[in-house]
Amino acid sequence: MLLSPYPTTSERIRVAALWIWCVLVLIFLVVPIFVPVPLSFNSGSFFTFPLAGISTRWYEVVLGTPRWRAAIGNSLLIGAGATVLATFLGTLTAIGLSDPKFPARRFVVPLLISPLIVPVVVTAVGTYLFYARIGLANTYVGIILAHTVLASPFVVVTVGASLTGFDRNLMRATSSLGAKPLTGFRRVMLPLILPGVLSGAAFAFVTSFDEVVVAQFLANAQQRTLPLEMFTGLREQLSPAITAAATLMMGLSILLLIVANLLARRSRQGASALAE
Amino acid sequence: MSSIAMPSIKTRTSATDRSDSLRPLALAAPLLLLLAFSFGAPIVALLSRAVYEPTIANALPRTIAALRVDGATGVPAEPVFSAFAADLKEAQAAGVIYEFAKTLNTRLPGARSQVLRVARLAGQDQTATKEAMIKAAPLLGEEQGWAAIRAGTNRFTSFFLLSAFDLRWTDQGTIGAVPADQAVFTRVFGRTFLIATLVTLATLALAFPLAYVMTNVRPVIAGIVLVLVLLPFWTSILVRTAAWTVILQKYGLLNDLLLWLGVTSDRLELMYSRTGLIIAMTHIQLPFTLLPIYSVMRAVQPSQLRAAQSLGGRPFTVFRRVYLPQVMPGVLAGCLLTFILCLGYYITPVLIGGASDQLISNFIANYVNVELNWEMAAALSFVLLASTLGLYVVMTRYLGLDLFKMG
């Protein structure tokens, strides 16, 4: 389709050059993220190919040493806390926003998504200063709250998208049949928007699981997360254990995000099918 | 009867209206409250540090009173010195002398040790004279030293914001440049904008042709390419930066490849270099530039291009006059988004950039973690935040890019 029906030689050359350029761009885009994967199975301690041999010793380091295990545990704990909070608060907010009578939407929506726009260092430094004063710095609660702030926009947007096709008459029908609002929500609305909510939860978890800048300011030695451990390792002594940790993080993030996107798509389709 | 009933129905409906609009707001309230507590308040608290610095004023109540009597300029007379000595003695007793000395030092480099020396003197000798104090701290004998103390006694200050632009109040009461050896921030901002520009241009050069090809191939292939674009997009920035540190090592993959291809004969120092930093940042930002361009290109009607061509337009003319104007909003939006995100970059410059490639975010972090100069960190945050929000408003207002309609 790039070529006209009767291409000239110069046109063929131009299109061929375009294709070569695009293939190179795709190689540049994709190859680097997979480079750590084979290196993480290297039995030697160097970052070069060919590999000295295949081994899982670096995964044993990451999954076996107390330092890395504590970091993984912290990441899972903080990620779970932020996910639960962000999903709960974000879903409520998205339901509120989906109401046509929601007041001052023009001002509230930018406020809700502002954590994504404000440079993360500014957020991190400000939170650290404020939390230090009220005793929340260096606590799990502090990090969970800060991660919830960063994760909540994703939940609001994902659940909001799944609500665009939701027929509000269904809620009127439930109340006319005598159901309390909470029952109507639990039995009618939630099942219909559940894929969107789960998708938002997955986004929230990945946001917290991958986050390092806020954690760097708010966590002490006890609360070190997996990305923080990796960040320190990259800064101080580069060890192949980092390629193993990176592979684990990448695998989990990509898996969750694929699931999240499939769910989000399904919830939008489901909602629009219902609208028709 | 009806004339009485009418208004009451009206009031009832308006009351219902109000409660109808309050209920959705109540649903959003918990998150809005959390945002106010854990995001809004911290940022306000941080930014206020840039203009509010009470440490010096709090430590010098007697000196402030004495200065008011003495006059507004020059080295003051004996009474101010004895008030100063009394204040320092009390600051030492209260344990705030180090904070005071540190704060004065940010305004007057070198003041820290002199202030501590005078404080020690004031503690030992109840009747330290002006002369003895100047001997212990020569800056107290200089007009410049007292100008800094006088400026510090004002709780609200423009000192740090001006410093962020390498400016200061001169002794004549005008705004002027700081001495060349203290001017750092215009260089840091300049560097941040330069690197953001270079990365933006690089992503555009890579993304534009790819997005164009994606809109002109079979949907199956476009779908596969889109997945290949989204995979790195979904991988965390830290993981991608880690991958690049592995690739860019002196004995890493890229150097191996360049040697093998014969492009270079020696191993290049790519880690801790600007080239390495720009390569890694371009890789991380590429999807952010590409996705808005792709979504705009997909909306262009091919029939228009065919029509232009059938009317005799040469391919380049059709591209320039028909295609480009239609895709320009997407191009600008993608570039602005990448530029904005580059301004706030932190992780990648720390890990890959050299000492001379640190961007504004790194300076903010450094002022908090190492220098413990919160006011300067706040002032730099203020400038960074203002640039970011300003560009973001341009992007949404004039280009209509919705951050959430991508991917």
Side-chain angles (χ1 to χ4, degrees), chain B residues 172-187:
Chain B
Q172 289 80 41
T174 55
I175 291 177
V178 301
D181 60 317
Q182 289 171 32
V184 260
F185 301 117
T186 42
R187 270 218 314 280

Side-chain angles (χ1 to χ4, degrees), chain B residues 152-205:
Chain B
T153 57
N154 194 342
R155 287 182 167 82
F156 289 93
T157 172
S158 54
F159 175 81
F160 299 102
L161 279 179
L162 285 177
S163 296
F165 295 98
D166 290 338
L167 297 171
R168 62 166 187 188
W169 290 103
T170 60
D171 302 339
Q172 289 80 41
T174 55
I175 291 177
V178 301
D181 60 317
Q182 289 171 32
V184 260
F185 301 117
T186 42
R187 270 218 314 280
V188 177
F189 279 110
R191 179 195 303 156
T192 306
F193 277 81
L194 173 72
I195 289 182
T197 308
L198 291 175
V199 172
T200 305
L201 291 177
T203 57
L204 180 63

Side-chain angles (χ1 to χ4, degrees), chain A residues 1-2 18-19 21-22 25 28-30 32-33 35-36 39 47-49 89 92-93 95-96 99 101-103 112-119 121-123 125-131 134 145 148-149 152 156-157 210 212-213 216-217 227 230-231 234-235 238 250 254 257-258 261, chain B residues 20-21 24-25 27-28 30-32 34-35 37-39 41-43 45-46 49 205-206 209-210 212-213 216-217 225 228-229 231-232 234-236 238-240 242-247 249 251 253 256 279 283 286 346-347 350-351 361 364-365 368-369 374 381 384-385 388 392 404:
Chain A
M1 266 173 275
L2 287 165
L18 188 62
W19 269 108
W21 183 251
C22 288
V25 173
F28 170 69
L29 207 49
V30 177
I33 65 164
V35 163
L39 286 173
F47 297 107
T48 45
F49 292 98
L89 299 177
L92 282 185
T93 305
I95 293 170
D99 194 313
K101 291 206 186 77
F102 192 90
L112 286 169
I113 62 163
S114 52
L116 295 185
I117 302 148
V118 171
V121 163
V122 176
T123 311
V125 168
T127 311
Y128 172 59
L129 166 73
F130 186 69
Y131 279 9
I134 58 176
L145 286 181
T148 303
V149 165
S152 62
V156 173
V157 168
D210 283 345
V212 64
V213 184
Q216 202 196 357
F217 282 91
M230 231 174 92
F231 184 80
L234 283 169
R235 246 182 142 171
L238 200 56
M250 187 176 83
I254 290 184
L257 288 169
I258 287 174
N261 276 279
Chain B
D20 274 4
S21 76
L25 191 61
L27 287 170
L31 182 55
L32 287 170
L34 176 68
L35 283 178
F37 169 75
S38 187
F39 180 70
I43 286 178
L46 173 67
R49 284 292 275 261
L206 299 183
L210 182 59
Y212 180 75
V213 167
N216 281 288
V217 293
V225 175
L228 294 182
V229 173
L231 274 182
W234 290 342
T235 310
S236 86
L238 180 65
V239 170
R240 279 186 278 172
W244 278 108
T245 58
V246 170
I247 296 168
Q249 295 290 313
Y251 292 91
L253 210 59
D256 284 350
I279 294 174
H283 178 255
L286 188 52
Y346 174 68
I347 297 171
V350 170
L351 295 175
S361 286
I364 295 174
V368 174
N369 290 332
W374 282 88
S381 298
L384 174 61
L385 192 61
T388 305
Y392 184 74
F404 296 103

Side-chain angles (χ1 to χ4, degrees), chain B residues 27-242:
Chain B
L27 287 170
L31 182 55
L32 287 170
L33 287 176
L34 176 68
L35 283 178
F37 169 75
S38 187
F39 180 70
I43 286 178
V44 171
L46 173 67
L47 295 184
S48 65
R49 284 292 275 261
V51 291
Y52 182 70
E53 164 53 306
T55 312
I56 295 177
N58 287 347
L60 300 178
R62 297 177 189 84
T63 314
I64 292 172
L67 275 172
R68 210 167 288 144
V69 178
D70 187 84
T73 52
V75 177
E78 189 80 42
V80 175
F81 276 84
S82 48
F84 190 61
D87 279 337
L88 289 188
K89 198 180 156 205
E90 191 170 307
Q92 196 151 33
V96 296
I97 188 72
Y98 290 100
E99 205 190 336
F100 169 79
K102 193 194 83 194
T103 310
L104 193 63
N105 197 66
T106 61
R107 293 156 173 273
L108 200 62
R112 193 175 184 282
S113 56
Q114 297 191 28
V115 165
L116 293 177
R117 221 177 304 139
V118 175
R120 224 173 297 131
L121 178 75
Q124 289 158 0
D125 181 3
Q126 294 293 342
T127 55
T129 60
K130 175 175 173 178
E131 199 184 340
M133 287 171 75
I134 290 176
K135 205 173 152 221
L139 66 87
L140 293 177
E142 294 165 18
E143 200 163 322
Q144 205 194 332
W146 281 99
I149 294 172
R150 281 198 182 88
T153 57
N154 194 342
R155 287 182 167 82
F156 289 93
T157 172
S158 54
F159 175 81
F160 299 102
L161 279 179
L162 285 177
S163 296
F165 295 98
D166 290 338
L167 297 171
R168 62 166 187 188
W169 290 103
T170 60
D171 302 339
Q172 289 80 41
T174 55
I175 291 177
V178 301
D181 60 317
Q182 289 171 32
V184 260
F185 301 117
T186 42
R187 270 218 314 280
V188 177
F189 279 110
R191 179 195 303 156
T192 306
F193 277 81
L194 173 72
I195 289 182
T197 308
L198 291 175
V199 172
T200 305
L201 291 177
T203 57
L204 180 63
L206 299 183
F208 192 92
L210 182 59
Y212 180 75
V213 167
M214 281 168 78
T215 50
N216 281 288
V217 293
R218 282 200 305 274
V220 184
I221 297 177
I224 293 170
V225 175
L226 190 62
V227 169
L228 294 182
V229 173
L230 287 174
L231 274 182
F233 186 63
W234 290 342
T235 310
S236 86
I237 290 180
L238 180 65
V239 170
R240 279 186 278 172
T241 304

Side-chain angles (χ1 to χ4, degrees), chain A residues 96-115:
Chain A
L97 274 176
S98 75
D99 194 313
K101 291 206 186 77
F102 192 90
R105 188 187 309 268
R106 275 183 49 214
F107 301 102
V108 174
V109 172
L111 281 181
L112 286 169
I113 62 163
S114 52

